[in-house]
Amino acid sequence: MIITGLELKNFRNYSHLELEFSPDNNVVLGRNAQGKSNLLEAVYFLSHLRSNRAPRMRDLVLEGRERASVRGFIIDGETRLNIHVSFGRQGKSVEVNGQKEGAPSRVRGLLKCVMFAPDDLYIIKGDPARRREFLDETAEGLGPLAAKRVLQYKHVLRQRNAVLRSWEEHGAALASVIEPWNDALVKAGAAVVARRAGMLPVMESRVDEAYRLISGGESEVRVRYRGTFEAGSGDEGEIEEQMRRALEASGNEEKRARTTVVGPHRDDIEITLGGREARFSVSQGEQRTLAFCLRVAQGRYLEGETGKTPVTLLDDVLSELDIDRREKVLELSGKGSQAILTATDAPLDAGEAKGKVFMVQRGKVTVV
Amino acid sequence: MTYYSGTLENLIERLCGLPGIGPKSAQRIALYLLSLPRDEAVELAKSIVDVKDRVRFCATCFNISEGEVCGICSDERRDTSVICVVEEPRDVIAIERSGAFRGRYHVLGGAISPIDGVGPDELRFTELMARLRGGGVSEIVAATNPNAEGEATALYMAQLVRPLGIKVTRIASGLPVGGDLEYADEITLGRAMEGRQEL
Ligand SMILES: Nc1ncnc2c1ncn2[C@@H]1O[C@H](COP(=O)(O)OP(=O)(O)OP(=O)(O)O)[C@@H](O)[C@H]1O
Ligand SMILES: [Mg+2]
Ligand SMILES: [Zn+2]
């Protein structure tokens, strides 16, 4: 899948931008704070309908303006898509090929991309929430239905936690007030767990493969699912059964914590390198490389599941690596896909690589 | 920023507070009202007051009603053994329009939603239970919305009513007629599959 063009209006530091991408490599050069990351963020935004870094949409609107818009021209096999998202004070509106989309969530994941960014490091060394975000983001890439399951789970969880927050109020009726939420929680929760449990073995072998290639070493990478209950065989019906049992057994603990303690919102993935826990016991360089390999695996997983090759976005990733790894990283990440990458100085023979080179200066882009 | 006189501004602000009306439509409606002949404007104002004065909730089912008891509850031809439980009066109107139900109703006044501070006590469950204990009811149809809150409300009600030995049913949810199978999401499709019937 490729993005052939991008149009921005009042997006971040771009008041107006029209750009045509190469179907191969696109190298975006520029000094600090010129708009390189903002450009990649816009592509990510078209894919996920949210930013990869700002939780609030209004941070994406050019300072002093009311509304922003992003338009992308996409070729997905035989299909051509023109996705237009405009947002601001009066809410969000989404059009696909000129038709207004009533449910914007259905547009999520139409454009598939994988974003490599410097703070991916925190997927490895950060707290479990960062790793769950990574898993949810991967599900989002699968398409609107998988994304919806995650949102449904979060919604029911919020409702159930609201009961638990002041559980004493309900007195003897507590059980009957909680019970109606259990069903929905377990159904949506099991769907999320099943997806994660199914995803990780595939990811593990991809990460391991990529890591060996980049490091040239023999250390084995393991990526294991750590749930709050035994998921069993991975069959969704069985997971539902297990989660329901675990939920029932957690009654006292959840009262003490005033929140639901069983379910995928407490999941983690344990990553080890050569038997050592990556979060606490491997070097910073190893962590960086592992984070990179997780992204490679994310892309390969999405490709395997959907049959579509995601667009690769590499934000400032090369600058962190030595020349040797740079070459391998470029080869791995861009393999067979369209890539858009940013750097402050020209990465190895950017000029010769098949594709286009852009120069960004204060929100203006020129083709070199 | 005031472009209009205080009186007009006041009307725009009030219209703006109505559901589904934004600042632009509020302005358009206000200017339209201003252009109306005086007696038409008075008629409109009067009908708003009339609604407030005359329309209230039915003492039995809590549907909107002009008298103590609503038209449906006082209609002798309707089946008293089946009660359809809905969230809002507008749901009664929707089901009546379908013509598919000939029993009576009970309007809960919303759905359970702890994050909004709405628990069972904020809804008309006590009144429902009093009605059921009065006897003569053999089935309750849970016609709450097919979202998380509506489902939880239906399940809560089922727990409550089951000990009375009354059957509780849930309206089927599934594919919209005239819709395309291919565009239905997996959850809707899953439901439709569960609720399949023999041809
Ligand atoms: N909503 C906004 N309105 C105007 N400017 C913004 C907005 N959001 C961010 N900026 C500015 O846009 C500029 C470019 O940001 P960006 O993150 O794209 O830089 P960059 O080119 O990736 O730099 P670096 O090499 O340091 O990562 C920054 O100066 C930032 O402050
Ligand atoms: Mg940057
Ligand atoms: Zn009535």
Side-chain angles (χ1 to χ4, degrees), chain B residues 39-182:
Chain B
D39 35 326
E40 268 186 53
V42 169
E43 277 304 312
L44 180 65
K46 197 169 143 305
S47 56
I48 294 175
V49 176
D50 281 352
V51 162
K52 278 317 288 178
D53 287 349
R54 294 212 207 121
V55 181
R56 48 186 156 159
F57 293 119
C58 167
T60 307
C61 73
F62 301 92
N63 186 15
I64 37 187
S65 166
E66 294 237 355
E68 172 76 10
V69 175
C70 77
I72 295 173
C73 288
S74 47
D75 184 346
E76 293 298 329
R77 289 162 304 177
R78 296 192 69 125
D79 186 351
T80 53
S81 70
V82 191
I83 295 181
C84 176
V85 179
V86 296
E87 293 179 19
E88 303 287 352
R90 62 164 182 267
D91 302 325
V92 174
I93 298 169
I95 296 173
E96 281 301 289
R97 232 184 353 236
S98 79
F101 180 70
R102 295 301 297 161
R104 303 228 166 135
Y105 291 93
H106 190 84
V107 181
L108 288 174
I112 297 176
S113 178
I115 40 183
D116 301 309
V118 181
D121 294 346
E122 276 68 41
L123 304 173
R124 299 192 189 98
F125 282 115
T126 319
E127 293 85 346
L128 174 67
M129 292 307 280
R131 269 179 92 178
L132 298 183
R133 286 202 191 89
V137 178
S138 59
E139 181 182 350
I140 294 284
V141 183
T144 49
N145 289 326
N147 54 24
E149 291 71 30
E151 295 296 343
T153 307
L155 286 175
Y156 178 82
M157 184 169 70
Q159 286 181 139
L160 214 59
V161 172
R162 216 177 288 130
L164 303 183
I166 295 170
K167 182 162 85 174
V168 183
T169 54
R170 179 86 173 108
I171 50 166
S173 62
L175 301 170
V177 175
D180 227 328
L181 207 64
E182 161 184 21

Side-chain angles (χ1 to χ4, degrees), chain B residues 8-40:
Chain B
L8 189 53
E9 193 69 14
N10 183 28
L11 177 61
I12 293 175
E13 230 167 76
R14 283 187 184 280
L15 289 170
C16 210
L18 299 179
I21 295 187
K24 272 196 191 140
S25 348
Q27 185 179 317
R28 204 154 9 96
I29 296 169
L31 291 174
Y32 167 77
L33 292 176
L34 189 61
S35 75
L36 283 182
R38 189 173 188 287
D39 35 326
E40 268 186 53

Side-chain angles (χ1 to χ4, degrees), chain A residues 1-4 74-81 110-112 306-309:
Chain A
M1 145 174 309
I2 53 177
I3 177 163
T4 57
I74 289 136
I75 298 181
D76 171 12
E78 304 284 286
T79 318
R80 277 163 192 274
L81 295 168
L110 283 184
L111 166 65
K112 299 195 193 304
T306 65
K308 298 172 198 286
T309 311

Side-chain angles (χ1 to χ4, degrees), chain A residues 149-313:
Chain A
R149 274 303 201 188
V150 175
L151 292 179
Q152 271 177 336
Y153 179 74
K154 287 183 176 164
H155 180 72
V156 176
L157 182 68
R158 267 192 344 122
Q159 290 284 23
R160 193 173 186 275
N161 285 345
V163 177
L164 284 170
R165 200 169 308 126
S166 49
W167 59 267
E168 290 97 336
E169 273 174 24
H170 302 284
L174 179 64
S176 68
V177 174
I178 283 262
E179 179 51 34
W181 298 106
N182 291 355
D183 216 50
L185 189 83
V186 164
K187 275 220 172 75
V192 174
V193 170
R195 171 106 56 217
R196 289 180 179 175
M199 178 191 300
L200 285 177
V202 185
M203 290 268 202
E204 180 179 56
S205 59
R206 299 302 196 179
V207 175
D208 188 54
E209 195 179 285
Y211 194 87
R212 283 169 202 259
L213 218 127
I214 295 179
S215 69
E218 284 300 307
S219 294
E220 191 190 15
V221 183
R222 283 175 171 267
V223 180
R224 292 294 153 89
Y225 179 73
R226 289 277 167 270
T228 50
F229 59 93
E230 202 48 60
S233 66
D235 165 66
E236 213 172 301
E238 192 187 328
I239 297 176
E240 266 182 39
E241 209 32 58
Q242 299 279 12
M243 182 169 165
R244 178 174 288 283
R245 240 177 268 148
L247 199 63
E248 275 159 14
S250 74
N252 288 329
E253 202 186 333
E254 63 182 17
K255 273 193 206 160
R256 219 175 304 124
R258 296 186 179 281
T259 188
T260 306
V261 295
V262 165
H265 64 293
R266 292 269 176 123
D267 279 355
D268 197 0
I269 34 183
E270 189 183 85
I271 303 163
T272 59
L273 175 64
R276 269 192 262 282
E277 203 177 342
R279 190 176 172 197
F280 301 116
S281 308
V282 310
S283 87
Q284 175 109 340
E286 286 171 325
Q287 285 180 331
R288 230 172 244 298
T289 308
L290 278 170
F292 179 85
C293 293
L294 271 181
R295 288 296 181 197
V296 173
Q298 186 180 40
R300 295 283 181 269
Y301 173 77
L302 289 178
E303 187 171 10
E305 291 292 303
T306 65
K308 298 172 198 286
T309 311
V311 175
T312 304
L313 309 172

Side-chain angles (χ1 to χ4, degrees), chain A residues 12-13 30-39 53 58-63 315-316 344:
Chain A
R12 293 284 198 187
N13 69 331
R31 310 187 53 155
N32 292 134
Q34 303 304 307
K36 301 183 300 296
S37 299
N38 294 347
L39 197 66
R53 48 179 177 167
R58 82 174 113 97
D59 293 333
L60 308 183
V61 181
L62 180 66
E63 242 169 73
D315 193 11
D316 220 6
T344 44

